[in-house]
C-alpha cells in the first residue's frame, strides 16, 4: 500500500514539476474546461493527421487525470451537444453527430466533472454585402463559465482555466481585484495575449500533447 502511495505521489510531483505547477502555492483550486476550445488544440498538435478533419483528438479522461495531479477541489466541463433527429435514420450524419457529442458529455460526467451543456445552434452566416454564406454552428459558454466562476468565488483561491478565449480577460482582471489567482492552460496557437497578460501563470499545452491524445479502443462510437 505504501509503495502504491509513493508511486502516485511520484507521478503527481513529476507532472507538477515538468508540466503543471505546485498546487501548494495556489491554495484551493477549481478547474474549468471549455472543451470546444480545448478540442481545437488537436488541429495544431497533430497538423498532418488533422489537416482535413479531426482524426486525432484530445481525451477527456486524460484531461481529468492531469487535473487530478494538481488536486483540484472541483472540476467543471462545458460542451454543447447536437440535437437528436428522431425523424431521420439512426445512421444519418446529424444523428451520428448527436451521439458523438452525448458520448463526450457522458464521458466527462463519468470522470467526475460537473457538466454544463446546451443545444448547439445553427446560425445564418452572411458576408458584408448581405450575401448568404450558409449556416454555422454556435455554442459558446462564456456566460455560463463566468457565472460559475464568480458564484463559486468564496470557495476557491485559484482557477485553472482550460481555454485561450480572449473574452475571459476581463473576468481575470476582476478575479485579480478580488485577490484570486488564475492559471491558464492553452495551445500556443490558440491562446490570446490578453489572457497571458492577465493570468498568474500560463502553461503551453503543446508540451502535454502526448499526455492528452485520445487512443481509440472498443468504446462506443465517437
Amino acid at each position: 500500500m505504501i509503495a502504491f502511495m509513493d508511486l502516485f505521489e511520484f507521478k503527481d510531483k513529476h507532472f507538477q514539476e515538468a508540466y503543471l505547477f505546485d498546487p501548494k502555492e495556489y491554495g484551493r483550486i477549481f478547474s474549468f474546461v471549455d472543451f470546444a476550445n480545448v478540442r481545437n488544440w488537436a488541429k495544431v498538435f497533430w497538423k498532418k493527421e488533422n489537416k482535413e478533419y479531426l482524426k486525432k483528438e484530445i481525451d477527456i479522461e486524460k484531461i481529468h487525470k492531469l487535473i487530478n495531479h494538481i488536486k483540484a477541489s472541483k472540476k467543471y466541463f462545458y460542451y454543447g451537444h447536437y440535437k437528436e433527429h428522431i425523424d431521420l435514420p439512426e445512421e444519418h450524419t446529424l444523428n451520428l453527430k448527436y451521439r458523438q457529442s452525448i458520448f463526450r458529455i457522458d464521458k466527462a460526467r463519468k470522470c467526475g466533472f460537473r457538466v454544463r451543456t446546451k443545444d448547439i445552434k445553427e446560425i445564418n452566416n452572411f458576408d458584408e454585402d448581405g450575401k448568404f454564406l450558409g449556416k454555422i454552428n454556435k455554442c459558446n459558454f462564456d456566460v455560463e463559465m463566468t457565472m460559475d466562476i464568480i458564484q463559486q468565488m468564496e470557495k476557491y483561491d485559484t482557477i485553472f482555466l482550460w481555454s485561450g478565449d480572449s473574452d475571459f480577460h476581463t473576468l481575470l482582471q476582476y478575479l485579480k481585484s478580488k485577490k484570486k489567482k488564475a492559471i491558464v492552460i492553452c495551445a500556443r496557437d490558440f491562446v490570446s495575449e490578453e489572457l497571458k497578460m492577465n493570468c498568474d501563470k500560463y502553461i503551453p499545452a503543446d508540451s502535454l500533447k502526448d499526455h492528452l491524445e485520445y487512443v481509440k479502443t472498443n468504446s462506443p462510437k465517437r
Side-chain angles (χ1 to χ4, degrees), residues 146-161:
T146 298
M147 286 181 64
D148 282 338
I149 290 170
I150 291 176
Q151 289 176 349
Q152 298 293 320
M153 190 180 298
E154 297 305 316
K155 299 178 182 178
Y156 63 76
D157 302 297
T158 302
I159 66 165
F160 188 19
L161 180 64

Side-chain angles (χ1 to χ4, degrees), residues 28-119:
R28 300 164 298 170
I29 302 167
F30 278 20
S31 185
F32 299 86
V33 179
D34 180 0
F35 189 63
N37 188 286
V38 172
R39 194 169 172 240
N40 279 325
W41 303 351
K43 295 176 182 178
V44 295
F45 287 173
W46 307 288
K47 290 182 179 179
K48 183 178 178 181
E49 295 88 344
N50 293 339
K51 188 174 182 180
E52 296 182 7
Y53 57 92
L54 293 181
K55 292 182 180 179
K56 273 195 175 187
E57 294 217 40
I58 290 174
D59 193 335
I60 294 165
E61 185 174 359
K62 289 182 178 177
I63 294 174
H64 148 74
K65 289 179 178 178
L66 283 173
I67 292 172
N68 280 354
H69 285 306
I70 52 90
K71 315 297 185 188
S73 304
K74 287 185 181 177
K75 307 186 299 288
Y76 288 82
F77 181 94
Y78 304 81
Y79 190 62
H81 61 82
Y82 288 90
K83 293 181 181 179
E84 183 178 18
H85 293 263
I86 59 175
D87 56 320
L88 295 174
E90 187 177 329
E91 65 274 12
H92 192 279
T93 302
L94 292 176
N95 281 326
L96 176 60
K97 286 184 175 181
Y98 163 74
R99 292 196 301 276
Q100 290 172 336
S101 59
I102 293 299
F103 173 76
R104 296 184 185 107
I105 290 164
D106 286 344
K107 187 171 185 177
R109 286 197 177 102
K110 290 175 182 176
C111 288
F113 284 101
R114 294 174 179 240
V115 173
R116 303 280 191 260
T117 187
K118 60 185 177 183
D119 287 344

Side-chain angles (χ1 to χ4, degrees), residues 121-207:
K121 305 292 185 184
E122 282 193 339
I123 308 295
N124 291 334
N125 186 29
F126 300 88
D127 66 14
E128 292 182 357
D129 298 321
K131 181 182 177 182
F132 179 66
L133 301 176
K135 292 181 179 291
I136 57 174
N137 294 324
K138 184 75 172 177
C139 188
N140 66 57
F141 284 88
D142 296 358
V143 172
E144 290 85 351
M145 290 179 70
T146 298
M147 286 181 64
D148 282 338
I149 290 170
I150 291 176
Q151 289 176 349
Q152 298 293 320
M153 190 180 298
E154 297 305 316
K155 299 178 182 178
Y156 63 76
D157 302 297
T158 302
I159 66 165
F160 188 19
L161 180 64
W162 289 65
S163 179
D165 194 334
S166 62
D167 290 340
F168 290 120
H169 86 274
T170 302
L171 172 64
L172 296 197
Q173 290 175 336
Y174 176 73
L175 292 179
K176 189 172 291 187
S177 75
K178 298 297 182 180
K179 310 301 181 186
K180 302 296 180 179
K181 293 183 178 180
I183 298 171
V184 171
I185 182 169
C186 185
R188 290 187 181 92
D189 287 4
F190 285 89
V191 68
S192 69
E193 287 301 316
E194 293 92 340
L195 281 195
K196 289 170 69 174
M197 289 173 57
N198 287 286
C199 69
D200 294 274
K201 182 178 180 63
Y202 164 61
I203 300 172
D206 309 63
S207 61

